[in-house]
């Protein structure tokens, strides 16, 4: 069971991870975008974390919804609506819950992924955050289907997400700013896929620390 | 990084405070969420025009708020589209009961945020249409990609639609006009130097002493080609010919269908320029290039247009849609019809565009 | 050097050709000798206002030619005052029979060339007066030296005197007004980077990554002090306080005495600013600094003026008197009286300043 | 006797000297002025030299007057009126002459110097071209007074002019753009004094080559 405490800690860990990788994410974005992805994510998640104490006693759905609203109103750009929608849909999937079993976790991740798909209308291989998220969620679902624990499933999800992130490097971008570069977008890792991988990795870190 | 700023996180707010202090007769500023609006908003019975986008392109958009142009502008963080709550608050503040047109530049971020804002506004009973600007011929392909960026034509669309709103056009007519301006406008830009984003503190890209970036956008994103420095005439020729000889451009955009009450996909085609067309020629500084150099570009552009049988009947020359301190320029050519000419000439009174009053 | 130019020796001519092509309704250009003049010159019965100076300060002066401002501008080589024959030809072209006022910035070169032009014009029967602008508080001493440079106040004097001429003031009254504007205007500038003169091809001075030049002029000449980079607020405070707290400034200038028919030495004193004064605040970009940063400076300037009991009633913010591509800014404060306010607000229609029409 | 041929050659030599020292003069001006003195002088003297064939058959006064008019209408800045007036006054002093004796030469130099004084109203020690010109003309006059030939007098004039030029380095500028620098003008040689020294030196070079 993933507890509310672990969810709160996941958000906290992800925010710290973003802060530490702020310059790295921004540099990735400088190469094929507009040099702000780390700055954007850091601004949004700092604000989101600051809101957590006010909702720590609510259910997991409410917590994720607050994160979502803060991201939507403070990030802007592409990542604001995308991460905002991800957390919004995730929050709906787990509305009212105080802890999450394997199926709940799959529901959360799948809903988040669907949110990103619906909002951004990108396809796999377009060189976006989807390319890290989608294989990770698939791997998670498969692992759960095979009867694994959330921790085990998450280990496979993170591995798949990492591979997905790395696979964005040779891709030609079709969505987002990198698409304007045409051929020149090839050879660079996508910043959004990288932050999405960090999000998954943060969750695994927390689960492992509690196991 | 050397800039006349205090802390980089205060850059936008303090710049807005300066604007508010300087132009209290024209505009007011709301800080949280951030938007700039006409001092006399809401103008009852008039369609309100709202635009917005990342900051760093000043004077666009906030400098174009005022009589005959925008009712409100939503400034995002530097090069980051604003958030839905900014757009929604602005809409509520300037809604004069005749509906609102959002003029949106074609970037993933801008589109998603404006879409969310549109849905929120509608859920509060405000009538909103939005039109996309996608005029940058540097981006070739549109079939499977994001398509073309919105750049210089945005300024022209804001002026023309602002005048239409001032003259009492209804919302649908203004939206149709805005779409027409977009379909008839094309742009291309070049950078001599990179800009420096305040929060980053170092140049976004590095160019050698003899290198330029061709086909840049307005966010310090790299261009399509890097090439060796050329003369102003050669650069102007590259830009102008790419624009003038650009083939008809087809893409599918999502527009709100008011009757159906849903988003629908619409196929739109830019016509190519033709001999005899009347043009508005807009030579824009990316921020760090002085006007003396823009005139050198304009000189060659006028010569090329003449050779091609295109007639420049209006022009705009200066820093209007910039990338912070970037040196370089962009050219926008807009094919004008008589209605657009009349609306271009109509009075405008904003901090950065002003005539006729 | 990266600029949008062709050959450096063609820089000025080609830039003028671009201006002429862009603003044919407002101005015309004569190339040999070079001067820019109102398309409807000579305006019969109106005093003609002529200014001029080195090029590289665009839009000053050529961008200010038109209804309600200058009748002609004489562009010299980059940062080099124009020659007497340019000024004489311009005078002959725009003379409407009511005399001519030359507005001259206080530099050795400008003074000597304008003096020669004045003598030549008089010998051809044209009535000419000239007024010196010397408003740069960076220059302290005047007793044995050249005195203060003419900088930002020049733009304001050209607007105000241009309006007066348009309204039918006679020559002596306009000259007196121009002198009064100069005595009530004070400026100070700062550079974040050096400019690069096209013919030289390298920056005029070198500044470290964390260095700025305080008290620069408009020709890339080094300032009075080099200091480490400071925040916009600190820089604005330094500039504003140096201007506001500047003591009354006394100097002797040469003016033409029409009755005696000879040059006479006149002692002039700038009054200091006082609580309750109404001001025009002019925040100017040196060419490479974008308007977003100018607003940050204006924000602090407005705050300081308020603290000092000075009331900003008009402002001008943008690149109006530049040093090619230099990054930096200057502040000019002009104490206004009601007549000056009225003339400032009067219609003006030039390539770079336009309102009221 | 200084012949018309020598005067023409002087102007030619000076123009060449300016061309060769264009960057040097401009660099001197960059330090305390606006980085254009070499560019200005080169532009003016190239034009002046181009006019010489049209007046080569006229008297020395006419030749110098043509040079003067060309300088005035093509240099601008401070050096245009100053060198222009120098040659204008010099031309008047030798009007109608086809060759110049020692007294004529003194008259020419003295008139030129007076022209610069009258036009620029600078004083000795203000760190201007006067500081090279004035001691040179004084030395010339003294040498002629002591019965020396033009060549000998010119040798002394050039030595004095060179010293005068060098003496501008420690001076605090009081006229011209350098005056705006206040104390910071100290420690730099004045560009105008340097070009004036080159003018004197060019004359000496020509006289020596004919002797
Ligand atoms: N339509 C889209 N669908 C999914 N992800 C997208 C889309 N557009 C952009 N992205 C992601 O957003 C990232 C960029 O985010 P960010 O730099 O914060 O926004 P912006 O591009 O507005 O500056 C990209 O690296 C990409 O992963
Ligand atoms: N009033 C003056 N009297 C004599 N010489 C002067 C005066 N003002 C300037 N100069 C000379 O002119 C030189 C500068 O010439 P130049 O650079 O061509 O003109 P500008 O200063 O207009 O750029 C100075 O080095 C100085 O020797
Ligand atoms: Mg980005
Ligand atoms: Mg961005
Ligand atoms: Mg000069
Ligand atoms: Mg000079």
């Amino acid at each position: 069971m993933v507890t509310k405490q672990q969810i709160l800690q996941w958000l906290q860990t992800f925010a710290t991870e973003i802060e530490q990788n702020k310059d790295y994410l921004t540099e990735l974005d400088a190469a094929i975008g507009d040099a702000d992805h780390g700055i954007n994510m850091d601004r949004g998640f700092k604000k989101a974390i600051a809101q957590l104490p006010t909702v720590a006693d609510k259910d997991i759905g409410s917590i994720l919804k607050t994160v979502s609203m803060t991201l939507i109103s403070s990030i802007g750009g592409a990542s604001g609506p995308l991460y905002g929608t991800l957390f919004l849909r995730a929050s709906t999937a787990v509305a009212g819950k105080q802890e999450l079993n394997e199926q709940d976790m799959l529901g959360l991740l799948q809903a988040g992924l669907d949110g990103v798909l619906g909002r951004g209308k990108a396809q796999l291989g377009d060189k976006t955050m989807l390319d890290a998220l989608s294989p990770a969620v698939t791997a998670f679902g498969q692992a759960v289907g095979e009867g694994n624990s959330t921790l085990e499933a998450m280990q496979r999800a993170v591995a798949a997400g990492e591979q997905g992130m790395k696979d964005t490097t040779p891709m030609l971008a079709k969505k987002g700013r990198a698409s304007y570069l045409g051929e020149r977008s090839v050879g660079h890792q996508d910043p959004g896929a990288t932050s999405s991988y960090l999000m998954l990795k943060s969750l695994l870190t927390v689960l492992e620390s509690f196991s | 990084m050397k800039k006349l700023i205090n802390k980089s996180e205060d850059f936008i707010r303090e710049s807005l405070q300066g604007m508010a202090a300087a132009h209290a007769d024209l505009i007011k500023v709301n800080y949280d969420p951030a938007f700039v609006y006409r001092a006399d908003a809401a103008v009852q019975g008039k369609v309100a025009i709202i635009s917005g986008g990342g900051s760093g392109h000043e004077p666009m958009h906030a400098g174009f708020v005022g009589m005959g142009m925008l009712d409100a502008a939503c400034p995002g963080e530097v090069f980051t589209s604003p958030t839905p709550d900014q757009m929604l608050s602005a809409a509520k503040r300037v809604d004069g009961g005749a509906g609102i047109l959002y003029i949106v530049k074609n970037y993933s971020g801008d589109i998603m945020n404006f879409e969310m804002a549109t849905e929120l506004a509608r859920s509060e009973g405000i009538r909103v249409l939005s039109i996309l600007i996608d005029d940058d011929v540097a981006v070739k392909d549109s079939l499977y990609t994001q398509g073309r960026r919105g750049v210089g034509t945005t300024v022209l669309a804001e002026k023309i639609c602002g005048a239409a709103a001032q003259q009492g056009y209804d919302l649908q007519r203004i939206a149709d006009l805005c779409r027409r301006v977009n379909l008839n406008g094309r742009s291309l830009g070049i950078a001599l130097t990179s800009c420096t984003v305040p929060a980053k503190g170092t140049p976004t890209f590095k160019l050698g002493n003899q290198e330029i970036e061709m086909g840049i956008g307005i966010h310090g994103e790299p261009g399509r080609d890097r090439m060796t420095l050329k003369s102003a005439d050669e650069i102007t020729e590259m830009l102008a010919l790419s624009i003038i000889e650009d083939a008809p451009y087809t893409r599918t955009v999502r527009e709100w269908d008011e009757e159906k009450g849903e988003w629908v996909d619409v196929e739109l085609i830019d016509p190519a320029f033709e001999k005899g067309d009347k043009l508005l020629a807009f030579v824009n500084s990316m921020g760090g290039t002085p006007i003396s150099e823009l005139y050198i570009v304009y000189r060659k552009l006028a010569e090329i247009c003449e050779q091609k049988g295109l007639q420049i009947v209006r022009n705009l020359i200066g820093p209007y849609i910039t990338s912070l301190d970037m040196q370089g320029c962009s050219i926008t050519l807009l094919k004008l019809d008589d209605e657009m000419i009349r609306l271009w000439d109509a009075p405008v009174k904003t901090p950065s565009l002003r005539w006729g009053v």
Side-chain angles (χ1 to χ4, degrees), chain B residues 9-202:
Chain B
E9 57 271 33
D10 298 331
F11 171 59
I12 294 162
R13 188 180 41 80
E14 293 186 344
S15 189
L16 290 175
Q17 286 170 336
M19 273 199 90
H23 307 294
D25 53 329
L26 302 176
I27 58 161
K28 290 205 170 76
V29 179
N30 193 78
Y31 293 97
D32 194 15
F35 62 91
V36 177
Y37 59 105
R38 263 177 79 153
D40 59 351
V43 184
Q44 290 308 318
K46 188 184 86 67
V47 172
I49 316 276
I50 300 183
S51 192
S55 290
H57 310 303
E58 291 70 23
M60 187 182 86
H61 301 272
F64 303 141
V65 174
M67 196 282 293
M69 210 159 166
L70 298 180
D71 291 82
C74 304
E77 296 291 321
V78 172
F79 296 166
T80 301
S81 98
T83 59
D85 56 318
Q86 290 176 265
M87 300 161 187
L88 177 65
S89 304
K92 288 191 202 164
R93 184 67 190 77
V94 302
D95 180 22
I100 289 184
L101 178 72
Y102 283 146
I103 299 182
V104 184
K105 300 189 295 306
N106 185 36
Y107 300 97
S108 301
D110 293 61
I111 290 175
M112 291 187 277
N113 285 286
F114 269 101
E115 255 180 41
M116 293 171 87
T118 303
E119 287 163 16
L120 290 168
R122 283 197 193 107
S123 74
E124 304 209 15
I126 304 176
R127 203 179 146 207
V128 179
L129 291 180
S130 63
I131 292 291
L132 267 194
I133 306 292
D134 59 344
D135 63 320
D136 187 347
V137 304
V139 184
K140 291 288 166 213
D141 200 0
S142 80
L143 221 43
Y144 306 107
T145 73
Q146 188 68 42
R148 293 185 166 174
R149 293 174 285 219
V151 286
T153 300
T154 316
V155 178
L156 311 181
E158 291 176 4
K159 167 67 184 85
I160 290 170
C161 295
Q166 194 71 35
Q167 295 183 11
Y169 281 43
D170 69 26
L171 180 58
Q172 189 61 57
R173 200 168 155 214
I174 298 178
D176 293 343
L177 173 68
C178 191
R179 193 186 306 102
R180 197 164 92 235
V181 171
N182 179 49
L183 293 183
N184 285 288
R186 285 192 173 83
S187 303
L188 189 57
I190 193 151
L192 303 183
T193 61
S194 171
C195 54
T196 297
V197 174
K200 182 162 182 284
T202 53

Side-chain angles (χ1 to χ4, degrees), chain A residues 124-193:
Chain A
L124 266 184
D126 280 0
K127 195 179 186 110
T128 71
M129 51 194 284
L130 273 185
D131 294 310
L133 280 181
S134 181
V137 176
T138 305
F140 189 92
Q142 211 173 347
V144 169
E146 291 164 9
N148 292 292
S149 71
T150 296
L151 175 60
E152 286 159 334
M154 203 59 214
Q155 279 161 343
R156 279 164 61 179
V158 168
E162 182 170 14
Q163 189 56 49
M165 166 186 84
K166 287 182 179 158
D167 287 348
T168 60
T169 302
M171 290 177 185
L172 183 85
K174 302 230 174 82
K175 283 277 167 185
R177 283 181 205 286
S179 70
Y180 309 127
L181 281 179
E183 295 291 343
R184 287 178 79 188
S185 66
V186 170
H188 301 275
Q189 184 171 307
D190 180 61

Side-chain angles (χ1 to χ4, degrees), chain B residues 272-344:
Chain B
F273 289 110
E274 281 173 19
K275 234 187 175 124
D277 282 352
K278 287 183 187 168
L279 301 184
L280 188 161
F282 171 25
V283 176
N284 174 62
S285 165
M286 298 313 296
T289 285
I291 196 164
S292 47
E293 298 178 32
L294 299 183
Y295 281 125
I296 293 178
V297 171
Y298 185 82
R299 169 186 167 276
K300 183 69 184 175
L301 175 63
E303 192 182 301
I304 294 170
C305 286
E306 173 147 4
Q307 280 163 6
K308 294 275 171 185
L310 299 165
Q311 198 187 339
I312 301 178
V313 296
R314 294 292 182 277
N315 63 64
L316 183 69
I317 300 168
Y320 293 104
I321 166 171
T322 62
S323 276
L324 297 167
D325 54 349
M326 178 183 280
Q327 292 189 332
C329 75
S330 67
I331 292 178
T332 299
L333 296 179
L334 169 64
K335 178 181 164 173
L336 294 167
D337 53 38
D338 290 343
E339 184 184 22
M340 290 190 219
I341 294 178
R342 187 175 50 75
L343 293 166
W344 177 259

Side-chain angles (χ1 to χ4, degrees), chain A residues 29 34 36-37 40 77-79 82 120 122 128-129 176-177 190-192, chain B residues 108:
Chain A
D29 198 28
D34 60 350
D36 63 1
H37 187 58
N40 288 342
S79 37
L82 289 167
T128 71
M129 51 194 284
R177 283 181 205 286
D190 180 61
Chain B
S108 301

Side-chain angles (χ1 to χ4, degrees), chain B residues 185-232:
Chain B
R186 285 192 173 83
S187 303
L188 189 57
I190 193 151
L192 303 183
T193 61
S194 171
C195 54
T196 297
V197 174
K200 182 162 182 284
T202 53
T204 304
F205 54 86
K206 288 208 169 42
L207 278 179
N209 258 337
Q210 293 295 316
E211 282 180 332
I212 55 177
E213 280 276 334
M214 175 77 179
I216 44 128
I218 55 173
H219 303 89
E221 60 270 53
R224 268 203 104 96
D225 293 301
R226 183 160 292 197
M227 45 182 75
T228 52
L229 180 61
K230 295 182 170 27
S231 71

